[in-house]
């Protein structure tokens, strides 16, 4: 009996990828991990207490004075490029589970306005411009627009007031947009706004134009309805489905429970880190084999809030939980894989994700010592490595290659 746990620290990057500055040149200095460590030493007068991260080899892939530069645990350590465009939680997790995201692009709605309008008209909808802005007004009530809360070009929204029409109709419009959209997500949003939605349209970064959703009052007025429509993917060729078909119990925890597909999975959605850790530990303590995919979201939330102190506090809470997981995953064949899905540097000066490498820290109780992994070309290699640990054929995934040690450390 063995357990494999993929533990995703949301927004935990370890340094900018070479193309990180394509949208914002300042992002070339992004280093979520390093800047958070620096903040605590200089501003709070002490280093972060991360003994479990250190034991898992974080300091070997991100050298820093506050991280151990050696470990006695049997671990394999490396780092991964993202392997998908932009920096996005949904795309990151789908890629990590083995999805092929090569057909997904970063695109502004304005670049596809005619195509989207034609699809909506073919579906029987009335489509009008809003002045000269690159967005669409559908049936006089729903705005189709760039999402201003994620990196430019990652997601599009179809937003409507529930005073004007039902969420079912908003969702129907979003599905028509989804059918022709090249982006990772089309998000249907229905809520109660303080005024007609066109009043809240504004320009965003990178040439985008969209609805300032927080300003509408949607988030504070209650009864908000949201549905995320992801890019078409073959979920049967992702790790949770591959494991479930092999009779391996699957548990999805935290944000992973919201965004990953697997009908057979036990789902434990949660946002508080303490709850995510508790659900993960409970799943590991269960008898028999199992795959657990868990996501800690509060690091990402701290990054969006540009709250470096809170980011560090969550990391310390996560570290304590990792210590418990290491102690529980002590049988030959067990795996604890700690990684991230993108960066979210709380010192970068904006509230968007940052395009960074992420750590790949693998605890393997039966191994003899430390092994160094080659750089993974994408997060799909993490899923393929977990598949191999579970005795599954990684070729059953749509994308990814199991990581093999480049060399044993001296």
């Amino acid at each position: 009996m063995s357990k494999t746990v993929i533990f995703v620290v949301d927004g935990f990057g370890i340094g900018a990828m070479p193309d990180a500055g394509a949208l914002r040149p300042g992002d070339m200095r992004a280093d979520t991990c390093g800047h958070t460590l620096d903040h605590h030493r200089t501003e709070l007068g002490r280093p972060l207490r991360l003994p479990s991260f250190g034991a898992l080899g974080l300091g070997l892939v991100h050298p820093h004075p506050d991280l151990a530069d050696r470990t006695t645990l049997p671990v394999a350590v490396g780092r991964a490029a993202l392997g998908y465009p932009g920096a996005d939680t949904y795309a990151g997790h789908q890629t990590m589970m083995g999805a092929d995201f090569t057909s997904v692009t970063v695109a502004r709605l304005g670049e596809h306005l005619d195509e989207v309008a034609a699809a909506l008209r073919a579906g029987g909808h009335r489509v009008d411009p809003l002045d000269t802005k690159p967005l669409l007004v559908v049936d006089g009530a729903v705005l189709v627009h760039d999402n201003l809360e994620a990196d430019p070009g990652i997601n599009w929204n179809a937003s409507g007031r529930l005073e004007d029409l039902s969420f079912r109709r908003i969702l129907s419009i979003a599905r028509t947009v989804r059918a022709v959209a090249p982006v990772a997500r089309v998000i249907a949003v229905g809520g109660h706004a303080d005024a007609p939605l066109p009043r809240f349209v504004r320009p965003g970064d990178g040439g985008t134009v969209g609805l300032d959703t927080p300003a509408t009052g949607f988030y504070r007025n209650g009864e908000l309805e949201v549905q995320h429509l992801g890019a078409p993917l073959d979920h049967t060729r992702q790790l949770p489905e591959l494991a479930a078909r092999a009779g391996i119990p699957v548990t999805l925890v935290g944000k992973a429970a919201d965004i990953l597909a697997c009908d057979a999975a036990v789902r434990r959605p949660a946002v508080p880190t303490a709850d995510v850790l508790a659900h993960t530990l409970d799943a590991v303590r269960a008898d028999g084999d199992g795959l657990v995919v868990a996501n800690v979201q509060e690091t990402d939330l701290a990054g969006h809030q540009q709250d470096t102190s809170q980011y560090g506090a969550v990391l310390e809470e996560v570290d304590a939980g990792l210590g418990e997981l290491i102690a529980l995953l002590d049988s030959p064949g067990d795996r604890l894989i700690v990684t991230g899905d993108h960066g979210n540097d709380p010192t970068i000066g904006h509230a968007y994700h940052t395009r960074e490498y992420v750590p790949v820290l693998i605890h393997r109780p039966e191994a003899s010592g430390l092994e160094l992994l080659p750089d993974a070309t994408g997060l799909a290699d993490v899923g393929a490595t977990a598949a191999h640990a579970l005795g599954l054929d990684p070729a059953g995934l749509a994308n990814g290659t199991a990581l093999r040690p480049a060399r044993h450390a001296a």
Side-chain angles (χ1 to χ4, degrees):
M1 294 186 294
S2 63
K3 293 284 197 314
T4 292
V5 178
I6 300 177
F7 195 89
V8 184
V9 184
D10 204 312
F12 190 49
I14 58 172
M17 289 177 55
D19 59 354
L23 179 64
R24 293 178 294 269
D27 282 12
M28 284 307 300
R29 72 172 187 87
D31 181 355
T32 302
C33 177
H35 291 155
T36 302
L37 290 167
D38 291 342
H39 170 85
H40 277 72
R41 179 169 285 280
T42 59
E43 299 297 325
L44 301 184
R46 67 167 179 87
L48 280 176
R49 301 182 182 98
L50 303 177
S52 299
F53 276 108
L56 288 166
L58 179 59
L60 297 170
V61 294
H62 188 287
H64 190 280
D66 293 340
L67 294 172
D69 61 1
R70 60 182 59 86
T71 179
T72 58
L73 280 183
V75 294
V77 301
R79 65 177 187 170
L82 300 185
Y84 65 88
D88 177 65
T89 295
Y90 175 84
H93 282 70
Q94 303 301 333
T95 300
M96 192 183 302
M97 294 300 104
D100 182 356
F101 253 64
T102 57
S103 64
V104 174
T105 62
V106 174
R108 286 74 172 160
L109 176 64
E111 299 164 356
H112 297 266
L113 211 58
D114 291 343
E115 181 183 2
V116 174
L120 287 163
R121 290 188 180 108
H125 298 284
R126 188 177 89 251
V127 181
D128 301 301
L130 181 64
D131 302 323
T132 59
K133 297 179 177 67
L135 49 72
L136 301 172
V137 182
V138 184
D139 296 339
V142 174
L143 294 185
V144 176
H145 59 92
D146 291 310
N147 179 303
L148 302 186
E149 296 174 83
D151 258 342
I154 294 289
N155 305 320
W156 299 347
N157 283 23
S159 303
R161 300 195 313 169
L162 297 177
E163 296 92 336
D164 299 329
L165 75 175
S166 69
F167 184 69
R168 180 181 59 80
R169 289 180 59 194
I170 298 169
L171 182 58
S172 176
I173 291 167
R175 285 179 171 143
T176 300
V177 176
R178 170 72 276 174
V180 295
V183 296
R185 274 184 291 179
V186 172
I187 306 172
V189 183
H192 296 288
D194 298 335
L197 295 186
R199 296 189 188 181
F200 304 103
V201 171
R202 66 169 175 82
D205 290 343
T208 57
V209 176
L211 188 69
D212 187 341
T213 304
T216 65
F218 275 2
Y219 295 148
R220 65 176 179 273
N221 291 338
E223 298 182 1
L224 180 69
E225 295 195 61
V226 179
Q227 187 161 332
H228 297 258
L229 305 177
L233 300 172
D234 185 354
H235 295 297
T236 67
R237 299 193 65 193
Q238 290 187 280
L239 181 60
E241 286 285 355
L242 193 67
R245 288 199 306 273
I248 298 171
V250 177
T251 304
L252 305 175
V253 180
K255 202 170 185 178
D258 297 325
I259 60 178
L260 294 179
C262 181
D263 290 342
V266 174
R267 296 180 184 273
R268 297 287 183 260
V271 174
T273 300
D275 293 346
V276 172
L277 291 169
H279 290 317
T280 304
L281 289 164
D282 286 345
V284 170
R285 293 186 183 107
D287 292 335
D289 296 341
L291 167 67
V292 183
V293 183
N295 170 284
V296 168
Q297 187 179 358
E298 287 190 311
T299 40
D300 190 53
L301 297 177
H304 286 306
Q305 295 158 6
Q306 297 284 276
D307 190 336
T308 316
S309 297
Q310 176 62 14
Y311 198 112
V314 177
L315 279 183
E316 289 190 329
E317 187 176 6
V318 169
D319 190 272
L322 291 177
E324 293 185 68
L325 285 171
I326 291 168
L328 286 174
L329 294 165
D330 59 356
S331 300
D334 284 347
R335 292 290 184 274
L336 171 61
I337 304 174
V338 179
T339 188
D341 52 351
H342 50 72
N344 198 342
D345 189 332
T347 72
I348 204 68
H350 60 71
Y352 295 121
H353 294 156
T354 43
R355 189 163 165 81
E356 299 180 50
Y357 292 102
V358 296
V360 181
L361 314 175
I362 306 176
H363 178 236
R364 307 154 307 144
E366 77 281 3
S368 58
L370 170 66
E371 294 179 330
L372 303 178
L373 299 170
D375 281 354
T377 58
L379 290 173
D381 293 351
V382 174
T385 303
H388 183 265
L390 289 163
L392 304 171
D393 183 358
L397 303 174
N399 195 19
T401 302
L403 294 168
R404 308 289 185 181
R407 61 186 176 90
H408 291 265

